[in-house]
Amino acid sequence: MSSIWIILIPLLPLLAFVANGLFGRALQRTGGWLAVGCMGGSALIGAVIFFGGLFGGITFPIQVDLWQWMPLGDVTIRIGFYVDQLTALMLFFVTFVSTLVFLYSMGYMAGDPGFNRFFAYLGLFDFSMLVLVLGDSLPVLFVGWEGVGLCSYLLIGYYLAMPGAPDAGKKAFIVNRIGDFGFLVAMFMLFASVGTLNIQEILAAVASGAVPEFQYSAAFVTFLTLMLFLGCTGKSAQIPLFVWLPDAMAGPTPVSALIHAATMVTAGVYLVVRLSALFALAPATMLTIAIVAAATAFVAGSIALTQKDIKKVLAYSTVSQLGYMFLACGVGAFTAGIFHVFTHAFFKGCLFLGAGSVIHACHHIQDMDQMGGLRRKMPATARTFLFGSLGLAGIVPFAGFMSKDEILWRVFSDGKFILYAIALVTAAFTAYYAFRAYFLTFEGQSRLPHDVEHHVHESPWTMTLPLWILGIGALAAGVFNILPAFGHGHYSAINHFLAPVVAPAEAILAAHASHEPIHSFALEILLMIVSTVVALVCGVGLAWLFAYKLWPAGASRMARRLGPLYRISYHRWWWDEFYNVFVAGGLKLLALISTLFDRFVIDGVLHTVAGAARSGSRLIRFFQNGQVQAYALAILVGVNLVVWLVLWYQ
Amino acid sequence: MPELTNHHAALLLLMTFLPAVTGIVIAAAVPAALARTVALAGAVLTFLVSLTFVGGIFGMPADFTAAVNIPWIERYNVALLMGLDGLSGSLVLLTNVLIILAVLGSWTAIAARQKEFYFYLLLLQTGILGAFLALDLLLFYIFWEIMLIPLYFLIGIFGSKNRIYATTKFFLYTMAGSLLMLLGIIALYFHTGSFALADALGAAATLDPTARLLIFLSFVIAFAIKVPLFPLHTWLPDAHTEAPTAGSVVLAGVLLKTGVYGLLRFAIPLFPAEAARIAPLMMLLAVIAIIYGALTAFAQRDMKRLVAYSSVSHMGFIVLGVFAFREAAITGASLQMINHGISTSGLFLCVGYLYERRHTRELAAFGGLAHNMKLYAVLTMIMILSSVGLPGLNGFVGEFMILVGAYPANAVLTIIAATGVILAACYLLRLMQETFYGPLDKDENKVLRDLNPRESFTLVVLAVFALWIGLYPRIFTEPLAPVSERIVRAVEAAQSPGTALADATAGK
């Protein structure tokens, strides 16, 4: 694989950005097709690398060294790319899903006045995302990391005049910056201790035991990895920084599918797995990650149960699913985490695009209370949304089942039974809200306003084709990594594929493990049955009951009966209100205090000094009044005084 | 090392005084209508002359051998000693570029008393260039004062409503500082008998400790006022708010840098041990400036005041880098001077263009401008992102080098300083949002036209540099690195003479 192909992967989307950004007015719709073509080209290369690696024929790592970037004393940070199995997997699904979303946007954004601006942003996004995945050093990765954040900001605020959209964009950027602060501090610490920021060099140096801080200071390693994880909580929307993601739904729906579900938000998981050998050295951090992740999965899942806005349901679902991915990392099941990233891209991408198709048809109505019965008018969207829901809900043998059950089993076998229980309850939540959304939107009677209902129609092929492809992926993507329980792991292709990447971390974890992981084939199958039954009965069954059979009377009766629990969920645990008062309010208060300090204390002192000088000068001015007689008098008095003094002294 | 020749010296003198001469010609002999054209020609010519130094003379010997050495007041051993190295050379180029942009930015904004305006502007340029090039303390002081007077008039005559207060405050503040510095220079002269920096370098170490500390402090206070460093900064927001656009561009772009430059060229090399002693205090003040400036910026309602306080915050990063005394940090701080010159000058140009159209700088007066001023929105966005430190643009490279370098010197302060990146996003995105986002609902804003080619040119130039430094900073850091390395060596040697000697004998 020559390096020019690797460089082309991010370069093609950049070309789409430049073309649409500079020549958008001339290109019009051609600009969109150009972007689809560029992205498709990247996807082709991505697929060749991934499948070439999976089936043999391409050997990793592939390294591309580009140019010298920042001098840091004696060390120079270089810009370069590094492709190993993990990169290849990320490259594949990022470019693949991106191409589908680009194509979908040709339909969704048709006729929008900012059509080319939209594709420019998308191109820049994919460029940044691919730099993030390809970067061989942390600062290069950080370029992508902040670049995707910028594009996310631009795309959330894409509808410039829409109430709330600019605020949501700003919130996303600032909250992400809090995480980026952690990332920055981690880089300072790594550079100070290891002397390089190249990822492979860091991993090699730490593994060789040449870095004293990593050998002797648990506090150092723990703090370092926690700072990195802070970065991940920002980008990947975990507690305490998840609040921006639901607001980010103000952006156009293809953006929600691509950036806020399939790709960007999984960057944190990617980072943890990329640096898994560092995290493995910090058991306290691993435990923190697992707990935070389980809590996030649960909280976000519980919120998704009652939201009325179809995109909000999917947004909280994404936060919850990201929780699963980190939970996997927290118990050392890094490949399981990445595989959930992979399957999630398919089923959540499918669901978001399906929601977009509905919103597009319903003239931007997003409230599921006003939908219903859309299956009859939008059969393709309904069918693919069902596929996506099956994938998300974790029903045997679809994609979500393959990835999520692996995570559940690994949490259990690691002996973290409480976290397992939380994750299992969350699995029930997941199945419930997924099917609740399906039933409310596509089944039952139509509740759309009449003027809207007349116009509802199935979306054009540019939108349904991506839906079908992702829908099939949501059903079938599990084949890439059949649960190890079936066939002794022979069919767990992704696990094998990623084994070299995570082997160092797993070796460290195994060496330090206080107990053997639980191995029991029978138990594993039993838990699988448990989770399936839970998903089917507590999830799909209850959703059928409350969102279809007994809807709406039974549902509201149930809501009343649940009382405070319902309100906690519906009001999203009041996280936003809390942050608005304590964080945003605190910041404003501090800003006000420093402004007042500036005006009254610093300038106050200054003006007092100036005032004193002015009074002093007034005193002097009294004498310097310009009257020659007065001066003469003064001279007379003065001279006399001197003469008298001199005489008296003698 | 290229030989210093008369040819170089002549070019150096030509470049320094060309702006002033052009200014005098404008004031004396050019009709008002042509003033801006002649000023532009002079500025461009000055820039072209300075281009001849790139790569050539960018390597002043470590002992500050001057390229220009003309006896002047022989009785007091004052000479016209001037020369440039990577640090001063980079700042000279920055100055010459920004003056061109300042002239272009004032093209239509200054409609009355044009001859005076361009006279002061170009005189200011000579003052700044001289200050960057002087290798003689008295000469430096003279140029330092020359900078003061034109800016006093630029703000006092061409400024907005509250200009007299602002210009008086600016003048008194900087005057107080420079008088202190003059005392320091004279005290040093009585000890060494020469104003030449090269002579003072060796002699300063032989002063008694108290005298050394006092003289050092007199320099540091003068420079800290100019930077400006918390709590000596309050003249800056007022001066910026009232100054005409060109004044703000030059003030933020290069004038503040003369303070940092003074630290790097004079105060620290002359008194490395004292510098090391007060480094913790300076780093602390720098971090306070970062946070405090950012918080205050967040509360501003006037666009220019917002950018001015952001300058306080950004200059805090630079001072932090300087006093970390690590090579990466000082090189980063030097680079950040250029970066700040690009982004903040750019932002002041942006605000100026809007002010020229709308005659207000109140954030509340705007909103939704991205609908009808697309090009303006894009270019302002780039300046904001450069200022916010987005990786891939220049600001990140400088900040990152500073913080990575400062971390080993003081981890806690560096981590606190890094929270500045969060606050920067808060106030700069607020600027972005209140100006460009939302509905275009005010009638006065609906008729605003987008940037014309002249205006876009000024911002595109800055944007190109922002991207260039962001992706390939080597060309810019290479001339800076040897200077920072020398400073770090000097400070290290002063802190532990024993080890320095050992290093020297070991051939290090």
Side-chain angles (χ1 to χ4, degrees):
Chain A
M1 197 84 199
S2 125
S3 55
I4 184 74
W5 295 105
I6 307 288
I7 297 170
L8 269 180
I9 297 174
L11 215 55
L12 286 170
L14 188 68
L15 180 70
F17 161 68
V18 173
N20 279 285
L22 292 184
F23 311 111
R25 210 168 294 164
L27 286 170
Q28 296 287 338
R29 233 178 128 65
T30 321
W33 284 117
L34 184 80
V36 176
C38 286
M39 207 56 241
S42 289
L44 212 59
I45 307 171
V48 168
I49 295 176
F50 175 63
F51 288 106
L54 201 60
F55 299 118
I58 286 183
T59 42
F60 297 115
I62 308 166
Q63 277 166 298
V64 183
D65 188 38
L66 293 174
W67 67 80
Q68 293 192 334
W69 189 22
M70 287 186 285
L72 297 174
D74 305 328
V75 183
T76 300
I77 305 288
R78 302 186 64 87
I79 293 203
F81 295 152
Y82 179 88
V83 182
D84 63 357
Q85 290 84 349
L86 178 60
T87 319
L89 177 79
M90 298 292 290
L91 283 179
F92 167 62
F93 84 81
V94 168
T95 53
F96 183 76
V97 175
S98 296
T99 308
L100 294 177
V101 171
F102 278 41
L103 178 64
Y104 179 94
S105 304
M106 288 302 294
Y108 191 89
M109 301 303 288
D112 190 282
F115 184 80
N116 295 95
R117 180 165 61 99
F118 182 80
F119 275 97
Y121 290 166
L122 278 190
L124 185 63
F125 167 77
D126 261 287
F127 167 74
S128 310
M129 185 69 207
L130 293 165
V131 168
L132 191 164
V133 172
L134 284 165
D136 70 348
S137 70
L138 289 176
V140 176
L141 195 157
F142 195 64
V143 171
W145 184 271
E146 287 242 316
V148 292
L150 167 70
C151 297
S152 164
Y153 163 78
L154 291 170
L155 283 161
I156 295 168
Y158 174 78
Y159 298 121
L160 294 167
M162 188 170 109
D167 277 324
K170 193 173 74 168
K171 181 171 172 181
F173 196 89
I174 292 172
V175 172
N176 267 291
R177 273 253 153 167
I178 298 175
D180 297 348
F181 156 77
F183 197 140
L184 279 173
V185 171
M187 282 198 275
F188 306 154
M189 295 175 74
L190 278 169
F191 189 77
S193 56
V194 188
T196 175
L197 286 174
N198 179 295
I199 295 170
Q200 299 308 317
E201 286 171 21
I202 291 172
L203 295 178
V206 171
S208 73
V211 186
E213 283 90 339
F214 283 87
Q215 300 302 307
Y216 306 114
S217 175
F220 176 87
V221 183
T222 304
F223 186 72
L224 168 70
T225 45
L226 280 178
M227 281 287 134
L228 281 170
F229 182 58
L230 177 64
C232 299
T233 61
K235 190 80 20 189
S236 296
Q238 297 294 291
I239 290 174
L241 298 181
F242 72 95
V243 287
W244 65 271
L245 185 58
D247 287 24
M249 296 300 121
T253 309
V255 170
S256 313
L258 178 63
I259 301 183
H260 303 121
T263 56
M264 180 187 86
V265 289
T266 63
V269 186
Y270 169 76
L271 183 70
V272 172
V273 178
R274 177 53 81 210
L275 298 175
S276 49
L278 294 189
F279 282 92
L281 288 170
T285 305
M286 293 289 277
L287 186 62
T288 310
I289 292 176
I291 293 171
V292 167
T296 308
F298 179 81
V299 168
S302 76
I303 294 172
L305 296 175
T306 58
Q307 298 305 306
K308 292 187 193 304
D309 181 331
I310 185 168
K311 284 185 76 179
K312 283 277 155 74
V313 172
L314 295 178
Y316 281 104
S317 161
T318 302
V319 176
S320 178
Q321 297 301 308
L322 288 163
Y324 274 113
M325 299 167 200
F326 280 108
L327 178 59
C329 296
V331 298
F334 298 107
T335 52
I338 283 291
F339 187 54
H340 201 51
V341 168
F342 182 79
T343 59
H344 181 255
F346 288 94
F347 58 70
K348 192 55 69 60
C350 173
L351 287 170
F352 259 119
L353 292 185
S357 178
V358 168
I359 293 166
H360 190 64
C362 297
H363 295 257
H364 291 269
I365 288 177
Q366 297 184 197
D367 183 353
M368 292 188 294
D369 278 359
Q370 295 187 43
M371 293 176 180
L374 287 172
R375 178 167 57 92
R376 286 177 289 279
K377 291 199 166 175
M378 309 180 72
T381 305
R383 185 67 57 84
T384 52
F385 199 92
L386 181 63
F387 291 176
S389 301
L390 287 168
L392 171 60
I395 309 295
V396 184
F398 305 122
F401 170 77
M402 291 295 176
S403 52
K404 188 157 56 187
D405 254 58
E406 166 85 344
I407 296 173
L408 287 174
W409 167 246
R410 291 293 297 266
V411 175
F412 186 88
S413 82
D414 197 48
K416 304 221 166 39
F417 303 121
I418 297 172
L419 296 183
Y420 171 80
I422 294 173
L424 188 65
V425 173
T426 308
F429 288 173
T430 309
Y432 177 83
Y433 64 65
F435 276 87
R436 172 177 171 267
Y438 173 75
F439 285 123
L440 285 181
T441 310
F442 295 102
E443 300 293 341
Q445 295 300 312
S446 167
R447 304 177 291 274
L448 282 168
H450 278 292
D451 54 326
V452 176
E453 200 188 343
H454 287 305
H455 295 103
V456 172
H457 53 86
E458 184 57 274
S459 299
W461 74 270
T462 45
M463 291 166 71
T464 49
L465 179 66
L467 282 175
W468 281 111
I469 297 173
L470 288 174
I472 291 166
L475 298 181
V479 298
F480 283 103
N481 208 28
I482 307 281
L483 284 172
F486 304 122
H488 306 290
H490 288 312
Y491 309 107
S492 312
I494 299 286
N495 280 2
H496 292 298
F497 185 55
L498 293 181
V501 181
V502 296
E506 284 178 346
I508 297 168
L509 289 175
H512 294 281
S514 50
H515 55 85
E516 274 287 292
I518 300 162
H519 283 296
S520 162
F521 179 70
L523 197 57
E524 199 173 344
I525 295 294
L526 181 69
L527 289 182
M528 231 179 264
I529 294 169
V530 168
S531 74
T532 305
V533 169
V534 163
L536 280 174
V537 176
C538 306
V540 182
L542 289 179
W544 176 80
L545 199 63
F546 289 115
Y548 179 66
K549 189 79 180 146
L550 300 178
W551 201 87
S556 36
R557 209 166 39 245
M558 195 63 200
R560 269 199 305 281
R561 197 161 300 164
L562 286 172
L565 286 180
Y566 179 83
R567 279 200 297 279
I568 288 175
S569 163
Y570 187 72
H571 292 285
R572 295 163 274 166
W573 296 55
W574 292 279
W575 276 95
D576 282 290
E577 286 77 3
F578 178 80
Y579 279 168
N580 278 340
V581 172
F582 288 98
V583 181
L587 180 69
K588 281 188 187 132
L589 187 68
L590 282 176
L592 184 69
I593 290 172
S594 54
T595 308
L596 294 178
F597 184 82
D598 217 51
R599 185 170 310 158
F600 294 108
V601 179
I602 298 185
D603 268 359
V605 170
L606 209 67
H607 290 160
T608 315
V609 173
R614 193 179 300 162
S615 334
S617 70
R618 223 175 265 138
L619 192 69
I620 296 166
R621 198 163 56 202
F622 172 76
F623 293 108
Q624 292 186 350
N625 52 11
Q627 293 187 2
V628 183
Q629 298 96 313
Y631 290 163
L633 184 70
I635 291 167
L636 195 69
V637 172
V639 169
N640 270 303
L641 215 63
V642 171
V643 170
W644 275 106
L645 275 173
V646 170
L647 285 177
W648 176 75
Y649 187 73
Q650 284 178 341
Chain B
M1 196 76 48
E3 269 306 298
L4 299 174
T5 61
N6 289 334
H7 171 68
H8 287 129
L11 280 175
L12 212 59
L13 282 173
L14 174 67
M15 181 194 68
T16 313
F17 292 103
L18 188 59
V21 171
T22 315
I24 292 166
V25 169
I26 289 174
V30 172
L34 277 178
R36 59 189 190 184
T37 318
V38 177
L40 182 65
V44 170
L45 203 60
T46 311
F47 171 68
L48 290 178
V49 175
S50 61
L51 277 184
T52 61
F53 302 127
V54 174
I57 213 166
F58 262 23
M60 183 170 62
D63 60 355
F64 298 110
T65 309
V68 177
N69 190 346
I70 304 169
W72 184 21
I73 314 173
E74 290 190 31
R75 192 172 158 201
Y76 296 107
N77 204 2
V78 183
L80 222 54
L81 294 178
M82 293 161 79
L84 84 174
D85 60 357
L87 177 63
S88 46
S90 304
L91 291 168
V92 160
L93 283 171
L94 175 71
T95 310
N96 291 342
V97 170
L98 285 181
I99 293 281
I100 295 176
L101 301 185
V103 172
L104 285 174
S106 316
W107 205 249
T108 48
I110 301 297
R113 303 175 78 169
Q114 298 183 1
K115 289 169 64 154
E116 267 176 271
F117 179 83
Y118 291 107
F119 168 70
Y120 289 131
L121 189 64
L122 294 176
L123 188 62
L124 180 61
Q125 185 180 9
T126 288
I128 296 169
L129 292 177
F132 283 141
L133 296 173
L135 293 176
D136 178 282
L137 287 166
L138 194 67
L139 189 66
F140 173 72
Y141 176 77
I142 290 166
F143 279 118
W144 181 268
E145 293 293 301
I146 288 178
M147 294 191 303
L148 207 58
I149 297 153
L151 194 63
Y152 175 79
F153 287 115
L154 281 177
I155 300 174
I157 298 173
F158 301 92
S160 39
K161 235 178 17 247
N162 205 10
R163 58 181 183 266
I164 300 301
Y165 170 76
T167 202
T168 311
K169 194 171 179 181
F170 154 74
F171 195 79
L172 288 180
Y173 236 124
T174 30
M175 201 64 190
S178 50
L179 282 178
L180 265 178
M181 179 169 75
L182 182 63
L183 285 179
I185 290 176
I186 291 171
L188 206 57
Y189 172 75
F190 279 131
H191 184 70
T192 56
S194 159
F195 285 111
L197 177 61
D199 299 333
L201 269 180
T206 61
L207 276 163
D208 76 271
T210 322
R212 245 185 1 231
L213 187 64
L214 286 176
I215 298 173
F216 173 69
L217 286 178
S218 78
F219 279 100
V220 166
I221 291 171
F223 296 141
I225 288 173
K226 203 71 156 193
V227 168
L229 187 62
F230 176 90
L232 304 173
H233 65 275
T234 57
W235 65 268
L236 184 72
D238 287 315
H240 266 316
T241 314
E242 305 305 328
T245 301
S248 290
V249 167
V250 178
L251 181 57
V254 278
L255 225 80
L256 306 185
K257 277 74 182 193
T258 58
V260 182
Y261 175 77
L263 290 170
L264 288 173
R265 173 83 346 127
F266 298 104
I268 297 169
L270 283 172
F271 306 99
E274 284 68 25
R277 256 174 78 190
I278 67 157
L281 174 70
M282 296 301 276
M283 287 175 83
L284 178 68
L285 288 177
V287 171
I288 293 176
I290 292 170
I291 306 296
Y292 178 89
L295 283 173
T296 317
F298 186 68
Q300 299 308 311
R301 285 194 264 292
D302 179 305
M303 296 168 103
K304 266 190 137 178
R305 278 192 97 78
L306 191 155
V307 180
Y309 277 107
S310 87
S311 264
V312 174
S313 183
H314 282 91
M315 294 305 287
F317 275 105
I318 295 174
V319 174
L320 178 72
V322 167
F323 281 92
F325 295 130
R326 295 291 192 285
E327 197 193 321
I330 296 185
T331 309
S334 311
L335 183 68
Q336 195 65 356
M337 288 202 257
I338 298 169
N339 292 337
H340 179 260
I342 290 168
S343 59
T344 308
S345 302
L347 285 174
F348 277 122
L349 282 173
C350 292
V351 177
Y353 293 147
L354 206 52
Y355 183 75
E356 201 181 330
R357 287 166 170 69
R358 190 70 169 66
H359 301 288
T360 178
R361 295 180 305 255
E362 286 292 312
L363 276 170
F366 299 104
L369 292 188
H371 293 283
N372 58 339
M373 298 181 74
K374 293 194 171 65
L375 188 60
Y376 178 68
V378 170
L379 290 169
T380 309
M381 178 92 200
I382 295 174
M383 289 305 134
I384 285 179
L385 293 174
S386 152
S387 184
V388 95
L390 188 87
L393 294 178
N394 56 346
F396 173 73
V397 177
E399 268 176 24
F400 193 74
M401 289 173 71
I402 290 171
L403 292 172
V404 165
Y407 183 83
N410 192 327
V412 175
L413 282 180
T414 306
I415 291 175
I416 298 172
T419 61
V421 303
I422 304 171
L423 297 173
C426 293
Y427 62 75
L428 284 166
L429 289 192
R430 186 173 154 246
L431 176 66
M432 186 73 202
Q433 183 173 353
E434 300 202 359
T435 318
F436 297 109
Y437 281 96
L440 183 64
D441 49 5
K442 296 191 181 65
D443 289 332
E444 308 90 302
N445 294 335
K446 284 181 186 154
V447 296
L448 297 181
R449 50 198 166 72
D450 208 342
L451 298 185
N452 63 34
R454 167 183 56 84
E455 292 165 328
S456 350
F457 171 78
T458 57
L459 294 175
V460 167
V461 167
L462 294 173
V464 167
F465 275 108
L467 199 63
W468 186 2
I469 300 179
L471 293 177
Y472 195 71
R474 266 191 72 194
I475 295 176
F476 299 87
T477 54
E478 257 173 17
L480 300 172
V483 183
S484 9
E485 199 187 328
R486 217 154 52 220
I487 290 168
V488 174
R489 293 274 167 281
V491 172
E492 278 172 359
Q495 274 176 302
S496 48
T499 40
L501 203 65
D503 282 354
T505 46
K508 235 182 178 177

